[in-house]
Amino acid sequence: MSALGHGALYGAVLIAVMLSTVAVGIWFERKFAGRMQSRLGPTIVGPMGLLQPLADVVKLLQKEDIIPAGADRALFNLAPVLATIFSLGVAAVLPLSPHMIAADLDIGVVYMLAVGGLMVVPTFMAGWASNNKFALLGGMRAVAQSISYGVPLVLAVLVPVILSGSLSLAGIVRWQSEHHWFALWPVIPGLPAFALYFMAMLAEANRIPFDIPEAESELVAGVTTEYTGAKFTLFYLAEYVHTLVGSAIGAALFFGGWDGPFAPGLHWMVAKTLALFVVVYWVRWTLLRLRSDQLMELCWKWLTPIGVALVLIAAAWVQFAPQGAL
Amino acid sequence: MGHINDTLRALWTTLRTAFRPTSTVQFPAVVRPRGERYRVSFALPDDENGEMACIGCLTCERICPSQVIKVKPGVKRESPVTGKKRAYTDDFVIDLSACIQCELCVQVCNNDAIVMVREAEQPMFEREDLVLGFARLRKNATDRTRSWGHGTMLQESQEPAKVEKKAPAVKAAPAVAAEPRQPAPRSPSRAAEPPEDGARARAREGARARRGGTDVSATLAFGVVAACALLSAVFVVRAVDLIRAVLWLGITLIATAALYAMLGASFLAGVQLLLYVGGVMTLMVFGVMITRRHEGIAPTATDTVRPVRGAVVAASLFGLVAAAIVNTDGLDDAPARALAPLTLADLGRSILVEHVLAFEALSLLLLAAIIGAVVIARRRDPGPLDEPTEASR
C-alpha cells in the first residue's frame, strides 16, 4: 500500500477510535455526573444505558435543520464543519505509542497550539453568522477567552519544551521515558505547569468552569443557540474531541505519554488520556462557571505571571541544574 | 489560597458522592419500600360486629384543620347485629383536594371508625372527583390496605407514661412488598476503549517518504496554495462585509502558512498560524464592535484619491520587497536550500546571535506601534457615555 493509503487508513482508524471514545465518554460523563449528584444517570437504553449516546445521535440527526432568517448562510453552514476539522486536526500529532504517530512533526507542539487555537474561528463564525444576539455575545466571549487563555497555554507548554529541548511531542515523550515525567520531576516547574496547562485547556475547550461562551443561564446556549440537528451535533462532537485531544496532549507533555511499566505503550497512553478526560468531567460537574471578569482576572493576574515564572524556572533548571538531577 | 482550598474540597465532595449509593432508583424496575406510617386516603371500616363503626359524633369534622370533612349523623336505632341501640351516620364526605393528611381525624376517633389507607386514589380529571363520598370511603375499607394508625391506638400512645407502659401496638401493614435494598454501589466502570493495537510504524515512514514527493505535484500544490492566497487577498479588498473581509484575510494568512510549510519553514508556518489567528479574531471582534451591522465599511465610491493612494503604497511596497529579494545573495539555489531542513536551533541562533540588532530594533518598533495605537485610541476627555473601552487596552 502506498504511503498516502497508509496515512489515510491511519487517519480513518484514529478518527473512528476517537469518535467512539467520545461516544463512550459521553455515556460515562452522564453516568459519572449522575453518581456525583446521587442519581443513576441513563439506565434505559441498552445495558446500564450504554447505548444512550447512540440514541442521542439518532435523535439529533432526525431533527429539523433550521437556518435562521438573516443568517449568513455560508458561514453558518461552514462553522460546525470547520470546528470538527480543527478539533480532529490536532490529533495528527498525538504520539499514541512509539510507533503510532500520524505525523511526527518536529514542531508538533507549535502545530498543536496553532490548530487548537484555530478552534476559535469557527466558534466566532457561528456566533456572527447566526444573526442572534446571544450567539454573537457568546462568540465575542469565546474570542476574548481564547486569546487570553492562549497565553498561559503556550507558557505552560513551553515548560516541557524547555526541559526536554524538543518541539516534537514524540520527542518530549521520548525524553520523559528516558529520564522522568515532568509532572513528577522537577516538581516546581513541572506540576504547576501541568495545572496551568489543564486550566488553559479547559478554557480553550470552553469547558466548565470556563464555559462562558456557552453559559446557559445567561446566553441561552451561546454560539450554538441557533444550531439544530446535525450541525449542533458537530459542534457538540468538536467540543468533546477538543477535550479528548487536550487530555491526550496533557498526558504526553506532562505524564510521560506512552511511558510505563508492564504494558505496551499504547495502553499507557490511552489510560493516561482517559484518566485526564475523567478529571475534566469531574471538574465540570463540581465547579461553577466563572464570571467573565473573574475569568480575565484569573488569566491575566494569576495564570500568566505564574506561567512566565515557570518558564523562567524551567530555563534556569536546564541551565544550572546538576547533570545528575536531570 | 482560599479559592484553591475550596475548589479541592468541592472536588473531594463530588468524588466521595460519586462512589456512594445513589439516592434515586429506577422507579418501575425498583420500588422503594414505603414508610411504615405511609398514608394517603381514607376509609370507613366496620367495627368488630361487622357494622360500620362510625356513629356520626362529628369529632373528626370539628377537629379537621382544613374543614374538609362533612358528616351527616343518622338517627339512633337498634343494631340489627347486636340488638343494642346505637348511633349511625347517613353520609360522610372527605374532600381530598384540600386534605393535608394530618391524620387528626383518625386520632380523635374513639370508635376507630375512620382510618387512613396506604393506596392512593387514582389520578383524576375533575377536581370534584377528589371528593370522597360515602360509598367510596366504605369501599376503601375493604379494598385497600390500612395504614398504621387507628384512633384508640393513637390516643393510647399519647397518654402520659404509666408505670406499665404498653408498647404501641403497631398494626403490621405489609402493603408494599419490601424490596431488597438497592444494589450495591457500582463503581463507574472505566470508559476504556483501547484502539486496536497494530504496528503502524509504516505510516510514519510513509509520511517521511511523502515529504520528498515528486516535483510536479509539489509545484502544482504550491501553485494552488499560492493562488488561494492571492485570490483570497483579492476578496479581502473586495468584500463589503467587514467580517467576510477579515475571514478572507484569515484564509490568506493560512495559505501563507501553508506556503511556508511547503518551503520547509514549518516552524514559521506554525507561528504564523498561532499569532495571526489571535490577530484575525481580534480584528474581527473590533470590527463587530465598531462598525454597525448591515453597513460594514461603507464603500467610498466618490473618493478617487484613496484608490490611487493605495495603489501607490502597494506598488512601492512590492518594489521594496522585490528589490530586497533580488539583492539578497545566494537565492539562486533556493530550491535546493528549501529542502535542507532548517533546524530550530539554527533559527534561534540566527535571530538571537546573527541578527540580534535587527531583532531588537523590530521589537522596539512593535512596542512603539503598540504605544502609539494606545495613545491614538485613548480619548482625551472621555464623555459619560463613551468611557475608554476595550479599544484603549
Side-chain angles (χ1 to χ4, degrees):
Chain A
M1 204 187 283
S2 69
L4 199 65
H6 268 296
L9 188 66
Y10 182 87
V13 168
L14 187 64
I15 287 173
V17 166
M18 286 212 321
L19 294 189
S20 38
T21 311
V22 164
V24 179
I26 289 173
W27 170 82
F28 177 80
E29 169 173 24
R30 293 183 59 175
K31 227 41 190 169
F32 194 43
R35 300 309 290 246
M36 279 188 200
Q37 298 168 349
S38 224
R39 293 184 287 111
L40 285 172
T43 55
I44 300 292
V45 192
M48 296 197 302
L50 255 172
L51 299 179
Q52 186 69 46
L54 206 64
D56 286 350
V57 168
V58 169
K59 182 196 79 174
L60 278 170
L61 293 183
Q62 283 174 342
K63 297 217 168 185
E64 185 189 354
D65 180 34
I66 299 170
I67 300 177
D72 190 328
R73 292 182 75 97
L75 296 187
F76 188 82
N77 291 334
L78 194 61
V81 180
L82 280 186
T84 316
I85 290 176
F86 288 150
S87 64
L88 284 170
V90 183
V93 289
L94 280 186
L96 290 177
S97 83
H99 308 297
M100 280 182 76
I101 311 162
D104 185 9
L105 301 182
D106 41 2
I107 54 144
V109 171
V110 179
Y111 171 86
M112 174 269 286
L113 290 171
V115 179
L118 280 176
M119 274 295 282
V120 67
V121 178
T123 311
F124 185 77
M125 268 167 64
W128 170 257
S130 294
N131 190 28
N132 175 312
K133 52 177 166 289
F134 294 116
L136 181 58
L137 276 175
M140 305 278 268
R141 285 181 173 195
V143 173
Q145 177 171 328
S146 172
I147 289 176
S148 306
Y149 275 83
V151 177
L153 184 72
V154 170
L155 290 173
V157 168
L158 267 182
V159 168
V161 166
I162 291 175
L163 288 175
S164 69
S166 168
L167 268 176
S168 143
L169 277 169
I172 292 173
V173 174
R174 222 170 282 129
W175 197 93
Q176 288 182 91
S177 67
E178 281 162 18
H179 298 82
H180 41 72
W181 300 358
F182 288 133
L184 302 181
W185 186 259
V187 180
I188 273 307
L191 202 55
F194 167 68
L196 205 62
Y197 170 82
F198 192 73
M199 278 195 260
M201 186 266 283
L202 288 181
E204 289 270 312
N206 298 338
R207 306 297 295 193
I208 293 173
F210 306 111
D211 69 329
I212 61 159
E214 220 177 288
E216 298 94 338
S217 47
E218 302 157 28
L219 296 182
V220 190
V223 286
T224 52
T225 304
E226 296 286 3
Y227 280 89
T228 55
K231 288 177 203 158
F232 176 78
T233 316
L234 282 183
F235 265 119
Y236 199 66
L237 196 70
E239 194 175 296
Y240 273 86
V241 170
H242 196 164
T243 318
L244 181 64
V245 171
S247 309
I249 286 170
L253 285 179
F254 297 96
F255 289 96
W258 66 66
D259 180 39
F262 313 126
L266 182 64
H267 293 197
W268 277 104
M269 182 64 191
V270 168
K272 287 169 186 173
T273 302
L274 290 181
L276 275 183
F277 203 37
V278 168
V279 174
V280 174
Y281 295 146
W282 181 19
V283 168
R284 172 175 183 186
W285 290 95
T286 302
L287 300 183
L288 307 170
R289 180 184 312 123
L290 289 177
R291 227 167 43 215
S292 261
D293 60 317
Q294 291 170 332
L295 189 88
M296 290 300 155
E297 185 175 319
L298 179 69
C299 177
W300 291 111
K301 292 189 183 168
W302 294 98
L303 299 186
T304 305
I306 290 174
V308 172
L310 290 176
V311 167
L312 290 179
I313 293 172
W317 177 272
V318 170
Q319 193 67 31
F320 300 117
Q323 279 304 309
L326 267 171
Chain B
M1 270 344 223
H3 294 307
I4 298 176
N5 195 17
D6 292 348
T7 306
L8 292 180
R9 262 180 57 202
L11 286 170
W12 168 240
T13 306
T14 43
L15 189 69
R16 215 178 31 188
T17 315
F19 290 99
R20 277 180 178 167
T22 55
S23 305
T24 54
V25 292
Q26 193 64 43
F27 168 60
V30 184
V31 179
R32 202 174 256 154
R34 293 219 160 105
E36 177 208 337
R37 300 182 180 188
Y38 181 77
R39 53 188 194 264
V40 192
S41 189
F42 294 87
L44 297 176
D46 293 343
D47 61 6
E48 62 274 16
N49 302 322
E51 285 186 288
M52 191 174 106
C54 184
I55 56 168
C57 68
L58 301 183
T59 331
C60 49
E61 183 178 323
R62 288 193 190 113
I63 196 124
C64 179
S66 335
Q67 305 184 344
V68 296
I69 303 179
K70 278 279 166 291
V71 185
K72 193 176 164 201
V75 287
K76 284 191 176 183
R77 57 176 188 270
E78 280 182 2
S79 157
V81 185
T82 57
K84 287 182 195 163
K85 246 191 154 180
R86 57 157 287 189
Y88 287 90
T89 181
D90 285 353
D91 200 9
F92 200 113
V93 175
I94 298 180
D95 183 0
L96 269 188
S97 65
C99 173
I100 59 171
Q101 265 95 9
C102 65
E103 215 183 13
L104 276 175
C105 47
V106 177
Q107 272 192 49
V108 296
C109 185
N110 292 318
N111 290 34
D112 294 348
I114 178 166
V115 293
M116 292 191 76
V117 293
R118 295 180 63 92
E119 286 100 349
E121 299 298 325
Q122 292 297 311
M124 297 146 183
F125 292 104
E126 306 284 332
R127 208 185 307 181
E128 287 73 25
D129 294 340
L130 279 168
V131 181
L132 295 186
F134 194 59
R136 271 166 77 181
L137 285 167
R138 286 292 287 155
K139 200 164 179 299
N140 280 357
T142 51
D143 291 0
R144 305 201 171 182
T145 326
R146 278 196 191 187
S147 183
W148 73 301
H150 52 94
T152 46
M153 183 267 275
L154 287 167
Q155 286 167 22
E156 213 168 274
S157 68
Q158 290 188 15
E159 274 169 13
K162 289 171 190 163
V163 185
E164 238 184 300
K165 200 195 163 204
K166 273 188 202 166
V170 176
K171 237 179 196 171
V176 183
E179 290 283 335
R181 280 267 165 211
Q182 52 214 17
R186 286 163 294 174
S187 59
S189 56
R190 272 284 170 95
E193 195 189 78
E196 56 257 57
D197 202 353
R200 292 215 157 73
R202 265 166 291 157
R204 216 171 108 217
E205 261 111 60
R208 200 166 287 154
R210 227 179 312 144
R211 234 170 261 164
T214 54
D215 277 333
V216 179
S217 63
T219 314
L220 196 67
F222 189 91
V224 168
V225 175
C228 268
L230 279 177
L231 262 181
S232 50
V234 170
F235 280 123
V236 175
V237 186
R238 299 285 306 164
V240 178
D241 183 15
L242 183 63
I243 297 296
R244 290 270 178 123
V246 179
L247 280 174
W248 282 118
L249 179 63
I251 295 180
T252 314
L253 293 171
I254 291 175
T256 316
L259 289 184
Y260 289 156
M262 284 173 170
L263 292 173
S266 46
F267 178 73
L268 192 58
V271 169
Q272 160 106 355
L273 279 185
L274 196 60
L275 293 185
Y276 278 113
V277 169
V280 163
M281 293 317 292
T282 318
L283 199 59
M284 201 140 54
V285 168
F286 278 112
V288 172
M289 288 197 295
I290 292 166
T291 64
R292 269 172 293 174
R293 184 85 213 264
H294 300 308
E295 281 186 327
I297 295 178
T300 47
T302 51
D303 194 350
T304 49
V305 187
R306 203 179 267 186
V308 175
R309 221 187 287 159
V312 169
V313 171
S316 46
L317 182 67
F318 182 79
L320 203 64
V321 174
I325 291 175
V326 168
N327 288 333
T328 307
D329 298 328
L331 275 181
D332 299 331
D333 54 344
R337 267 177 54 171
L339 287 178
L342 177 73
T343 64
L344 279 175
D346 292 342
L347 195 65
R349 216 164 283 128
S350 161
I351 288 178
L352 289 178
V353 179
E354 213 176 313
H355 300 292
V356 67
L357 194 65
F359 181 71
E360 288 299 326
L362 212 56
S363 329
L364 211 61
L365 188 69
L366 279 176
L367 184 67
I370 291 172
I371 294 174
V374 170
V375 168
I376 291 171
R378 198 185 58 184
R379 300 249 172 101
R380 291 283 164 208
D381 47 346
L385 281 176
D386 41 21
E387 290 171 8
T389 50
E390 298 288 317
S392 62
R393 284 207 189 144

